[in-house]
Amino acid sequence: MTATDHRIQVKNREAEFHCPADKTLLVGMEQQLTKALDVGCRGGGCGVCKIRVLSGEYERKRMSRAHISEQEEKDGLALACRIFPRSDLCIEAIPALEISGHDCETDKKNEC
Amino acid sequence: MRKGVIRPGHVQIRVLDITEALAHYRDLLGLIEVETDSQGRVYLKGWTEVDKFSVVLREADVPGMDFMGYKVLNSDVLGQLEEDLKAYGCEVEEIPAGELNGCGRRIRFAAPTGHQFELYAEKEQTGKWGLSKVNPEAWPRDLKGMKATRFDHCLLYGPNVEATYELFRDVLGFDLAEQVIDPEGNRAAAFLTASMKAHDVAFIECPEPGKFHHASFFLETWEDVLRAADLISMTDTSIDIGPTRHGLTHGKTIYFFDPSGNRNEVFCGGDYHYPDHEPVTWKAEDLGKAIFYHDRVLNERFLTVLT
Ligand code: FES
Ligand SMILES: [Fe+2]
């Protein structure tokens, strides 16, 4: 772990990992052999790594609008392969079932 | 029976960032950058291809495939196929010559799987890149990356593979080279050819229409596939699986992703198909071996990670 590493807690998976600021959350997770999130294309195209950011700061690259609508983006939904941590983060994995359905609301937001 | 469709001609792929995509397709795959059109689309080709371009990249906010195009023998054949498609009940859209730089008029239609296809008879032929037309040398010396030789085929996912197969067979004259049959006798995958190649397009049944699995590029040797794998690691490019061999087509292959999450394949070898050949059949129960001949199990990504 280095000074720029951020701690990423995955609330609904009871998992956590560290991610450097220059890696996406998904790649950071893979490098620690953590399996909290599904890994797909790693390029913001397929949507399998969809998450909700409950707290913390991040930067994002463009994500497929087929998987993250403008509203969802405002609501803190993101693709883990397209965001870079800028602080410790608390996130929630969105299960594949909800990704394919249109309603991606989770039951309740965990407090972080 | 063949109806005058000769070969795959082009694929237009949507990308999230055109600069990143160009670096991937040009510097890693080694496609030749041809030009950028007034809409900002970037045209590329494999160095052995005689046509001006075969890959078009378009920046958009949803990755995936816009359309795949096939070249037909001549404009009479194009007119005939246009009529045949209409008679078959397809909605046909005419795209005027020049909408893609250097390409003649195109006839566009949707397959029942939800994918857009087009036919055209004319495209500017600039010849193999870096070689003279007479006494050509073996290869040009200043190729980059994987040195992909040509755009070869796409694998597409969607519903109604059977109806799509019938359309390609009855109207466009494709042959079924390889197939996957489930225990109830349904065709879960159809690999179709307009040539001697094991596939000029392939379809796998999936409820969601219009999904893009991969665009594939041809390499000459297994050594080239291993070298492609080295380059994928050197450039930290998103890997899917391989190098390995497919059961279907028996091609030697590696799958990886472009920076927008569209899957690419480079491969070598593989089966051939003459019009009098029976289709090669794989059982759906053995799909793992059919897709990844060495692992003999599917990775989850093969069925679910699509753009
Ligand atoms: S892994 Fe495909 S969108 Fe993140
Ligand atoms: Fe392929």
Side-chain angles (χ1 to χ4, degrees):
Chain A
M1 182 179 164
T2 68
T4 53
D5 269 10
H6 297 293
R7 181 169 168 237
I8 316 297
Q9 281 179 272
V10 192
K11 276 303 189 189
N12 58 346
R13 295 280 190 274
E14 281 157 28
E16 71 170 67
F17 57 92
H18 291 273
C19 184
D22 63 346
K23 292 266 186 295
T24 65
L25 290 199
L26 198 69
V27 168
M29 180 199 80
E30 281 190 279
Q31 288 186 345
Q32 290 175 41
L33 308 176
T34 308
K35 290 205 172 110
L37 306 171
D38 289 338
V39 178
C41 66
R42 306 182 190 87
C46 73
V48 308
C49 66
K50 192 166 177 173
I51 58 169
R52 180 190 301 279
V53 180
L54 302 171
S55 69
E57 302 299 313
Y58 55 93
E59 267 177 45
R60 57 175 165 257
K61 286 178 75 172
R62 197 172 191 179
M63 301 176 277
S64 173
R65 276 279 174 256
H67 299 293
I68 303 284
S69 68
E70 262 171 79
Q71 188 56 47
E72 286 179 324
E73 190 168 328
K74 286 194 192 113
D75 294 344
L77 285 140
L79 300 173
C81 65
R82 298 297 271 184
I83 67 170
F84 300 87
R86 292 293 172 261
S87 73
D88 289 353
L89 290 176
C90 197
I91 66 171
E92 194 172 72
I94 311 247
L97 258 183
E98 292 179 47
I99 291 175
S100 48
H102 16 120
D103 187 8
C104 286
E105 287 304 304
T106 38
D107 305 332
K108 64 175 174 58
K109 288 197 181 184
N110 290 298
E111 290 305 317
C112 248
Chain B
M1 198 185 73
R2 296 290 155 86
K3 300 278 176 75
V5 177
I6 322 172
R7 56 178 164 84
H10 53 242
V11 60
Q12 181 165 307
I13 299 171
R14 296 187 301 271
V15 297
L16 294 172
D17 181 312
I18 197 84
T19 311
E20 280 183 0
L22 179 57
H24 174 90
Y25 287 95
R26 180 191 58 200
D27 303 339
L28 179 63
L29 274 108
L31 297 179
I32 309 302
E33 181 181 358
V34 176
E35 66 184 37
T36 300
D37 72 12
S38 57
Q39 297 178 38
R41 293 179 298 185
V42 177
Y43 297 45
L44 305 109
K45 66 182 269 180
W47 68 268
T48 68
E49 295 180 278
V50 297
D51 287 353
K52 175 174 173 168
F53 67 88
S54 60
V55 173
V56 180
L57 303 175
R58 179 172 78 87
E59 190 168 293
D61 61 11
V62 177
M65 185 186 85
D66 275 336
F67 52 79
M68 184 178 175
Y70 288 89
K71 185 162 191 194
V72 305
L73 274 173
N74 55 45
S75 51
D76 290 346
V77 168
L78 186 63
Q80 184 61 52
L81 290 173
E82 179 177 10
E83 291 316 307
D84 295 349
L85 281 165
K86 284 181 187 159
Y88 197 76
C90 289
E91 238 177 83
V92 168
E93 184 191 353
E94 175 168 3
I95 319 259
E99 195 279 336
L100 279 169
N101 287 354
C103 188
R105 100 181 168 103
R106 290 133 65 201
I107 297 303
R108 188 179 294 174
F109 61 97
T113 49
H115 301 92
Q116 301 286 325
F117 287 96
E118 32 181 70
L119 307 173
Y120 65 93
E122 271 153 33
K123 190 187 280 179
E124 196 185 322
Q125 294 204 327
T126 50
K128 298 189 185 196
W129 183 83
L131 299 183
S132 54
K133 282 208 170 114
V134 178
N135 292 350
E137 300 297 349
W139 34 264
R141 269 182 287 188
D142 27 14
L143 294 169
K144 289 186 197 164
M146 299 175 185
K147 309 179 186 185
T149 66
R150 66 163 188 258
F151 164 55
D152 190 89
H153 64 268
C154 287
L155 171 57
L156 305 171
Y157 276 40
N160 312 312
V161 165
E162 194 60 22
T164 299
Y165 162 48
E166 286 163 11
L167 168 68
F168 272 71
R169 179 192 63 198
D170 297 343
V171 183
L172 304 177
F174 282 61
D175 291 325
L176 180 67
E178 311 222 348
Q179 59 182 349
V180 176
I181 301 286
D182 73 14
E184 290 78 51
N186 302 309
R187 204 171 274 118
F191 285 54
L192 306 178
T193 185
S195 62
M196 268 183 69
K197 288 160 55 204
H199 48 349
D200 285 317
V201 66
F203 297 97
I204 289 186
E205 188 75 26
C206 142
E208 228 184 314
K211 301 306 278 185
F212 180 55
H213 189 277
H214 68 258
S216 185
F217 300 87
F218 190 73
L219 300 179
E220 217 173 62
T221 68
W222 176 230
E223 193 69 28
D224 292 338
V225 177
L226 297 181
R227 199 175 151 280
D230 291 339
L231 285 161
I232 288 167
S233 286
M234 285 179 205
T235 52
D236 213 8
T237 297
S238 176
I239 178 88
D240 186 8
I241 196 166
T244 182
R245 184 195 283 278
H246 292 307
L248 278 153
T249 76
H250 296 126
K252 287 156 274 184
T253 176
I254 185 164
Y255 281 159
F256 53 103
F257 296 98
D258 81 5
S260 308
N262 296 304
R263 192 185 278 93
N264 295 156
E265 170 180 54
V266 290
F267 80 106
C268 70
D271 299 334
Y272 63 87
H273 182 91
Y274 278 109
D276 64 333
H277 287 191
E278 285 286 308
V280 173
T281 300
W282 283 82
K283 293 181 185 172
E285 307 91 280
D286 302 318
L287 194 60
K289 188 172 179 180
I291 304 297
F292 301 124
Y293 188 69
H294 298 149
D295 278 2
R296 282 163 278 144
V297 280
L298 281 184
N299 63 352
E300 172 72 14
R301 284 198 287 264
F302 184 82
L303 293 174
T304 56
V305 171
L306 308 165
T307 54

